[in-house]
Amino acid sequence: MAPPRGWASCARRRPTARVRLYCFPYAGGGLAAYQPWAARLPDPVEVWTVCLPGREHRLDEAARTDLTGLVDELRAALAPQLAGPPAPVAFFGHSLGALLAYELARALRAHGEREPAALVLSGRAAAHHPPRRRMHTLDDDAFVAAVRSLGGAPSAALEHPELRELCLPTLRADITAAETYRHRPGPPLDCAITSWAGDADEGVPPDAVAEWARHTRGPTRHRLFPGGHFFPWSAPGVLAALAEDIGLQGRAPC
């Protein structure tokens, strides 16, 4: 099979799905982080994974350092498929991906397009909080040390000299986009928002993550999981919680 092209791909199509879930990557992440979820989430979920420039099948493209411009590109590329078929759309984003998911929802609404039915925003303080870390200005050795302190897949890639050389420019570009982002005030969304935090994520206080609730008029929920920054790939019960939070089992305001 030819490698996927473009901004989003679906490894397992489910024509009768009740929800289309779009997953947005953390800094340095890509399709590989979410592909296992497509097999493990229940059949009513069709998982689409967003791949940004500068990685995997888009390695020949320059990674973006401006989050606002990146969201504009995402909206232009994804709006036609997000508009139909009629199954509701949900977004999941972790860290950088949380900002992308949130800002894409805002951009869709601003252009008169359908916003997602639910956002699950993980591992990032609410948008109005400035970043606590300033990693993107560090020299390479200090930057690599800071990434390693977070653990997870990006840290593992940097342990191998060949992968480090390949991944470092994209990882630095992604973190630049995340750390130079500034929230622009506007009316809250109408969709459901669930915020996820790790109880041992030293750089992302759970109470700051919970403040995503300020950015919607819809129902909200906050979940605290065991683990550090990359808890969605280690904590028990994550996918069951995700299925609930995107509406498969109903939800009530909290």
Side-chain angles (χ1 to χ4, degrees), residues 105-172:
R106 295 178 89 198
L108 291 167
R109 185 184 61 182
H111 286 79
E113 296 153 349
R114 182 174 65 166
E115 67 181 76
L119 294 178
V120 181
L121 305 175
S122 170
R124 207 285 179 184
H128 59 279
H129 284 273
R132 289 165 58 95
R133 302 183 180 100
R134 299 294 295 177
M135 295 167 52
H136 72 281
T137 59
L138 299 174
D139 64 47
D140 281 355
D141 288 342
F143 179 80
V144 168
V147 172
R148 283 175 174 158
S149 72
L150 301 176
S155 175
L158 295 176
E159 299 298 327
H160 304 278
E162 298 84 359
L163 285 177
R164 171 175 165 161
E165 183 178 353
L166 187 66
C167 297
L168 197 57
T170 293
L171 184 55
R172 185 183 288 278

Coordinates of all heavy atoms in Angstrom, one line a residue, residues 105-172:
A105 N -10.8 24.4 15.9 CA -12.3 24.5 16.2 C -12.7 26.0 16.1 O -13.8 26.3 15.5 CB -12.6 23.9 17.6
R106 N -11.9 26.9 16.6 CA -12.2 28.3 16.6 C -12.2 28.8 15.1 O -13.1 29.6 14.7 CB -11.2 29.1 17.4 CG -11.2 28.8 18.9 CD -10.2 29.7 19.5 NE -10.7 31.0 19.9 CZ -9.9 32.0 20.2 NH1 -8.6 31.9 20.2 NH2 -10.4 33.2 20.6
A107 N -11.2 28.3 14.3 CA -11.1 28.8 13.0 C -12.3 28.3 12.1 O -12.8 29.0 11.3 CB -9.8 28.3 12.4
L108 N -12.7 27.1 12.4 CA -13.9 26.5 11.6 C -15.1 27.4 11.9 O -15.8 27.8 11.0 CB -14.1 25.1 12.0 CG -13.1 24.1 11.6 CD1 -13.3 22.7 12.3 CD2 -13.2 23.9 10.0
R109 N -15.3 27.7 13.2 CA -16.5 28.5 13.5 C -16.4 29.9 12.9 O -17.4 30.5 12.4 CB -16.6 28.6 15.0 CG -17.9 29.4 15.4 CD -18.0 29.6 16.9 NE -16.9 30.3 17.4 CZ -16.7 30.6 18.7 NH1 -17.6 30.1 19.6 NH2 -15.7 31.3 19.1
A110 N -15.2 30.5 12.9 CA -15.0 31.8 12.4 C -15.3 31.9 10.9 O -15.7 33.0 10.4 CB -13.6 32.3 12.7
H111 N -15.2 30.8 10.2 CA -15.4 30.7 8.8 C -16.8 30.2 8.5 O -17.1 29.8 7.3 CB -14.4 29.9 8.1 CG -13.0 30.6 7.9 ND1 -12.1 30.7 9.0 CD2 -12.5 31.3 6.9 CE1 -11.1 31.4 8.6 NE2 -11.3 31.8 7.3
G112 N -17.7 30.1 9.5 CA -19.0 29.6 9.3 C -19.1 28.1 9.0 O -20.2 27.7 8.5
E113 N -18.1 27.4 9.4 CA -18.1 25.9 9.2 C -18.4 25.2 10.6 O -18.4 25.9 11.6 CB -16.8 25.5 8.7 CG -16.5 26.1 7.3 CD -15.1 26.2 6.9 OE1 -14.2 26.1 7.8 OE2 -14.8 26.5 5.8
R114 N -18.7 24.0 10.5 CA -19.2 23.2 11.7 C -18.0 23.0 12.6 O -17.0 22.5 12.2 CB -19.8 21.9 11.2 CG -20.3 21.1 12.4 CD -21.0 19.8 11.9 NE -20.1 18.9 11.2 CZ -20.4 17.6 11.0 NH1 -21.6 17.2 11.3 NH2 -19.6 16.8 10.3
E115 N -18.1 23.4 13.9 CA -17.1 23.1 14.9 C -17.4 21.7 15.3 O -18.4 21.1 15.2 CB -17.2 24.1 16.0 CG -18.4 24.1 16.9 CD -18.3 25.1 18.0 OE1 -18.5 26.3 17.7 OE2 -18.1 24.7 19.2
P116 N -16.3 21.0 15.9 CA -16.5 19.7 16.4 C -17.5 19.6 17.5 O -17.8 20.5 18.2 CB -15.1 19.3 16.9 CG -14.4 20.6 17.2 CD -15.0 21.5 16.2
A117 N -18.1 18.4 17.7 CA -19.0 18.2 18.8 C -18.3 18.1 20.1 O -18.9 18.4 21.2 CB -19.8 16.9 18.5
A118 N -17.1 17.7 20.1 CA -16.3 17.5 21.4 C -14.9 17.7 21.1 O -14.3 17.3 20.1 CB -16.6 16.1 22.0
L119 N -14.2 18.3 22.1 CA -12.8 18.5 22.2 C -12.3 17.7 23.4 O -12.8 17.9 24.5 CB -12.4 19.9 22.3 CG -12.6 20.9 21.1 CD1 -12.2 22.3 21.5 CD2 -12.0 20.4 19.8
V120 N -11.2 16.9 23.3 CA -10.5 16.4 24.4 C -9.1 16.9 24.3 O -8.3 16.6 23.4 CB -10.5 14.8 24.4 CG1 -9.8 14.3 25.6 CG2 -11.9 14.3 24.3
L121 N -8.7 17.8 25.3 CA -7.5 18.6 25.3 C -6.6 18.1 26.4 O -7.0 18.2 27.6 CB -7.9 20.1 25.4 CG -8.9 20.5 24.3 CD1 -9.2 22.0 24.5 CD2 -8.3 20.3 22.9
S122 N -5.5 17.6 26.1 CA -4.6 16.8 27.0 C -3.3 17.4 27.1 O -2.6 17.8 26.1 CB -4.6 15.4 26.4 OG -3.6 14.6 27.1
G123 N -2.7 17.4 28.4 CA -1.3 17.7 28.6 C -0.9 19.1 28.2 O 0.3 19.4 28.0
R124 N -1.8 20.1 28.3 CA -1.5 21.5 28.0 C -2.4 22.4 28.8 O -3.6 22.2 28.9 CB -1.6 21.8 26.5 CG -0.7 22.9 26.0 CD -1.1 24.3 26.3 NE -0.2 25.3 25.8 CZ -0.3 26.6 26.1 NH1 -1.3 27.0 26.9 NH2 0.5 27.5 25.6
A125 N -1.8 23.4 29.5 CA -2.6 24.3 30.2 C -3.5 25.0 29.2 O -3.2 25.1 28.0 CB -1.7 25.4 30.9
A126 N -4.7 25.5 29.7 CA -5.6 26.2 28.9 C -5.0 27.3 28.1 O -4.0 27.9 28.5 CB -6.8 26.7 29.7
A127 N -5.6 27.6 26.9 CA -4.9 28.5 25.9 C -4.5 29.8 26.5 O -3.5 30.4 26.0 CB -5.9 28.6 24.8
H128 N -5.2 30.4 27.4 CA -4.9 31.7 27.9 C -3.7 31.7 28.8 O -3.2 32.8 29.2 CB -6.1 32.3 28.7 CG -6.6 31.5 29.9 ND1 -7.4 30.4 29.7 CD2 -6.3 31.6 31.2 CE1 -7.6 29.9 30.9 NE2 -7.0 30.6 31.8
H129 N -3.2 30.5 29.2 CA -1.9 30.5 30.0 C -0.7 30.5 29.1 O -0.6 29.7 28.2 CB -1.9 29.2 30.8 CG -2.8 29.2 32.0 ND1 -2.4 29.6 33.2 CD2 -4.1 28.7 32.2 CE1 -3.4 29.5 34.1 NE2 -4.4 29.0 33.5
P130 N 0.2 31.4 29.3 CA 1.5 31.3 28.5 C 2.3 30.1 28.9 O 2.1 29.6 30.0 CB 2.2 32.6 28.9 CG 1.7 32.9 30.3 CD 0.3 32.5 30.3
P131 N 3.1 29.6 28.0 CA 3.9 28.4 28.3 C 4.9 28.7 29.5 O 5.4 29.8 29.6 CB 4.7 28.2 27.0 CG 4.8 29.5 26.3 CD 3.5 30.2 26.7
R132 N 5.0 27.6 30.3 CA 5.9 27.7 31.4 C 7.3 27.4 31.0 O 8.3 27.9 31.7 CB 5.4 26.7 32.5 CG 4.1 27.1 33.2 CD 3.6 25.9 33.9 NE 4.5 25.3 35.0 CZ 4.4 25.7 36.2 NH1 3.5 26.6 36.7 NH2 5.3 25.1 37.1
R133 N 7.5 26.7 30.0 CA 8.9 26.4 29.5 C 9.3 27.3 28.4 O 8.5 27.8 27.6 CB 9.0 24.9 29.1 CG 8.6 23.9 30.1 CD 8.8 22.5 29.5 NE 8.4 21.4 30.4 CZ 7.3 20.8 30.4 NH1 6.4 21.1 29.5 NH2 7.1 19.8 31.3
R134 N 10.6 27.5 28.2 CA 11.2 28.2 27.1 C 12.3 27.4 26.5 O 13.5 27.7 26.7 CB 11.7 29.6 27.5 CG 10.6 30.5 28.1 CD 9.5 30.9 27.1 NE 10.1 31.7 26.0 CZ 9.3 32.2 25.0 NH1 8.1 31.8 24.9 NH2 9.9 32.9 24.1
M135 N 11.9 26.3 25.8 CA 12.9 25.4 25.3 C 13.4 25.7 24.0 O 14.5 25.4 23.6 CB 12.2 24.0 25.3 CG 11.9 23.4 26.6 SD 10.8 21.9 26.6 CE 11.7 20.9 25.4
H136 N 12.6 26.4 23.1 CA 13.0 26.5 21.7 C 14.2 27.4 21.5 O 14.8 27.3 20.5 CB 11.8 27.1 20.9 CG 11.5 28.5 21.1 ND1 10.7 28.9 22.2 CD2 11.7 29.6 20.4 CE1 10.6 30.3 22.2 NE2 11.2 30.7 21.1
T137 N 14.6 28.3 22.5 CA 15.7 29.1 22.3 C 17.0 28.5 22.9 O 18.1 29.1 22.7 CB 15.5 30.4 23.1 OG1 15.3 30.2 24.5 CG2 14.3 31.2 22.5
L138 N 17.0 27.3 23.4 CA 18.1 26.7 24.0 C 19.1 26.2 22.9 O 18.6 25.8 21.8 CB 17.7 25.5 24.9 CG 16.8 25.8 26.1 CD1 16.4 24.5 26.7 CD2 17.6 26.7 27.1
D139 N 20.3 26.0 23.2 CA 21.2 25.4 22.2 C 20.9 23.9 22.1 O 20.1 23.4 22.9 CB 22.7 25.6 22.6 CG 23.1 25.0 23.9 OD1 22.8 23.8 24.1 OD2 23.8 25.7 24.7
D140 N 21.5 23.2 21.1 CA 21.0 21.9 20.9 C 21.2 20.9 22.1 O 20.3 20.1 22.4 CB 21.8 21.3 19.7 CG 21.3 21.8 18.3 OD1 20.2 22.5 18.3 OD2 21.9 21.4 17.3
D141 N 22.3 21.0 22.7 CA 22.5 20.1 23.9 C 21.5 20.3 25.0 O 20.9 19.4 25.6 CB 23.9 20.2 24.4 CG 25.0 19.6 23.4 OD1 24.6 18.8 22.6 OD2 26.2 19.9 23.6
A142 N 21.3 21.6 25.3 CA 20.3 21.9 26.4 C 18.9 21.6 25.9 O 18.1 21.1 26.7 CB 20.4 23.4 26.7
F143 N 18.6 21.8 24.7 CA 17.3 21.5 24.1 C 17.0 20.0 24.2 O 16.0 19.6 24.7 CB 17.2 22.0 22.7 CG 15.9 21.7 22.0 CD1 14.8 22.5 22.2 CD2 15.8 20.6 21.1 CE1 13.6 22.2 21.6 CE2 14.6 20.3 20.5 CZ 13.5 21.1 20.7
V144 N 18.0 19.2 23.8 CA 17.9 17.7 23.9 C 17.7 17.3 25.3 O 16.8 16.4 25.6 CB 19.1 17.0 23.2 CG1 19.1 15.6 23.6 CG2 19.0 17.2 21.7
A145 N 18.4 17.9 26.2 CA 18.3 17.5 27.7 C 16.9 17.9 28.2 O 16.3 17.1 28.9 CB 19.4 18.2 28.5
A146 N 16.3 19.0 27.7 CA 15.0 19.4 28.2 C 14.0 18.4 27.6 O 13.0 18.1 28.3 CB 14.7 20.8 27.7
V147 N 14.1 18.0 26.4 CA 13.1 17.1 25.8 C 13.2 15.7 26.5 O 12.2 15.1 26.8 CB 13.4 16.9 24.3 CG1 12.5 15.8 23.7 CG2 13.1 18.3 23.5
R148 N 14.5 15.3 26.8 CA 14.6 14.0 27.5 C 14.0 14.0 28.8 O 13.4 13.0 29.3 CB 16.1 13.7 27.6 CG 16.8 13.2 26.3 CD 18.3 13.0 26.5 NE 18.9 12.4 25.4 CZ 20.2 12.5 25.1 NH1 21.0 13.2 25.9 NH2 20.7 11.9 24.0
S149 N 13.9 15.2 29.5 CA 13.3 15.2 30.8 C 11.8 15.0 30.8 O 11.2 14.6 31.8 CB 13.6 16.6 31.4 OG 12.8 17.6 30.8
L150 N 11.2 15.1 29.6 CA 9.8 14.9 29.4 C 9.5 13.4 29.2 O 8.3 13.0 29.4 CB 9.2 15.7 28.3 CG 9.4 17.2 28.3 CD1 8.9 17.9 27.1 CD2 8.7 17.8 29.6
G151 N 10.4 12.6 28.8 CA 10.2 11.2 28.4 C 9.4 11.1 27.1 O 9.4 12.0 26.3
G152 N 8.8 10.0 26.9 CA 8.0 9.7 25.8 C 8.7 9.5 24.5 O 10.0 9.4 24.5
A153 N 8.0 9.4 23.4 CA 8.6 9.0 22.1 C 9.7 10.0 21.6 O 10.7 9.6 21.1 CB 7.5 8.8 21.1
P154 N 9.4 11.3 21.7 CA 10.5 12.2 21.2 C 11.8 12.0 21.9 O 12.9 12.1 21.3 CB 9.9 13.6 21.5 CG 8.4 13.4 21.5 CD 8.2 12.1 22.1
S155 N 11.8 11.8 23.2 CA 13.0 11.6 24.0 C 13.7 10.3 23.5 O 14.9 10.3 23.3 CB 12.6 11.5 25.5 OG 13.8 11.1 26.2
A156 N 12.9 9.3 23.3 CA 13.5 8.0 22.8 C 14.2 8.2 21.4 O 15.3 7.6 21.2 CB 12.4 6.9 22.7
A157 N 13.6 9.0 20.5 CA 14.2 9.2 19.2 C 15.6 9.9 19.3 O 16.5 9.6 18.6 CB 13.3 10.0 18.3
L158 N 15.7 10.8 20.3 CA 16.9 11.5 20.4 C 18.1 10.7 21.0 O 19.2 11.2 21.0 CB 16.7 12.7 21.3 CG 15.7 13.8 20.8 CD1 15.4 14.9 21.8 CD2 16.2 14.4 19.5
E159 N 17.8 9.5 21.5 CA 18.9 8.6 22.0 C 19.7 8.1 20.9 O 20.8 7.6 21.1 CB 18.3 7.5 22.8 CG 17.5 7.9 24.0 CD 18.3 8.7 25.0 OE1 19.6 8.4 25.1 OE2 17.8 9.6 25.7
H160 N 19.2 8.1 19.6 CA 20.0 7.5 18.5 C 20.5 8.6 17.6 O 19.7 9.5 17.2 CB 19.0 6.6 17.7 CG 18.4 5.5 18.5 ND1 19.0 4.4 18.8 CD2 17.2 5.5 19.1 CE1 18.2 3.6 19.5 NE2 17.1 4.3 19.7
P161 N 21.8 8.7 17.4 CA 22.4 9.8 16.7 C 21.8 10.1 15.3 O 21.5 11.2 14.9 CB 23.9 9.4 16.5 CG 24.1 8.4 17.7 CD 22.8 7.7 17.9
E162 N 21.5 9.0 14.5 CA 20.9 9.2 13.2 C 19.5 9.8 13.3 O 19.1 10.7 12.6 CB 20.9 7.9 12.4 CG 22.2 7.3 12.1 CD 22.7 6.4 13.3 OE1 22.0 6.4 14.3 OE2 23.9 5.9 13.2
L163 N 18.7 9.3 14.2 CA 17.4 9.8 14.4 C 17.4 11.2 15.0 O 16.6 12.1 14.6 CB 16.6 8.9 15.3 CG 16.1 7.6 14.8 CD1 15.3 6.8 15.8 CD2 15.1 7.8 13.6
R164 N 18.3 11.5 15.8 CA 18.5 12.8 16.4 C 18.7 13.8 15.3 O 18.0 14.9 15.3 CB 19.6 12.9 17.4 CG 19.9 14.3 17.9 CD 21.0 14.3 19.0 NE 21.5 15.6 19.2 CZ 22.2 16.0 20.2 NH1 22.4 15.2 21.3 NH2 22.7 17.2 20.3
E165 N 19.6 13.6 14.4 CA 19.9 14.5 13.3 C 18.6 14.7 12.4 O 18.4 15.8 12.0 CB 21.0 14.0 12.5 CG 21.4 14.9 11.3 CD 22.6 14.4 10.6 OE1 23.2 13.4 11.0 OE2 23.0 15.0 9.5
L166 N 17.9 13.7 12.2 CA 16.7 13.7 11.4 C 15.5 14.4 12.1 O 14.8 15.3 11.5 CB 16.2 12.3 11.0 CG 15.1 12.2 10.0 CD1 15.5 12.7 8.6 CD2 14.7 10.7 9.9
C167 N 15.3 14.2 13.4 CA 14.2 14.7 14.1 C 14.3 16.0 14.7 O 13.3 16.7 15.0 CB 13.8 13.7 15.2 SG 13.3 12.0 14.6
L168 N 15.5 16.4 15.0 CA 15.8 17.6 15.8 C 15.2 18.9 15.2 O 14.5 19.7 15.9 CB 17.2 17.8 16.1 CG 17.6 18.8 17.3 CD1 17.0 18.4 18.6 CD2 19.1 18.8 17.4
P169 N 15.3 19.1 13.9 CA 14.8 20.4 13.3 C 13.2 20.4 13.4 O 12.7 21.5 13.7 CB 15.2 20.3 11.9 CG 16.4 19.5 11.9 CD 16.2 18.4 12.9
T170 N 12.6 19.3 13.2 CA 11.1 19.3 13.3 C 10.7 19.4 14.7 O 9.7 20.2 15.0 CB 10.6 17.9 12.7 OG1 10.9 17.9 11.3 CG2 9.1 17.8 12.9
L171 N 11.3 18.8 15.6 CA 11.0 18.9 17.0 C 11.1 20.3 17.5 O 10.3 20.9 18.2 CB 11.8 17.9 17.9 CG 11.5 17.8 19.3 CD1 10.0 17.5 19.6 CD2 12.4 16.7 20.0
R172 N 12.2 20.9 17.1 CA 12.5 22.3 17.6 C 11.4 23.3 16.9 O 10.9 24.2 17.6 CB 13.9 22.8 17.2 CG 14.2 24.2 17.7 CD 15.6 24.7 17.3 NE 16.7 24.0 17.9 CZ 17.1 24.3 19.1 NH1 16.5 25.3 19.8 NH2 18.1 23.7 19.7

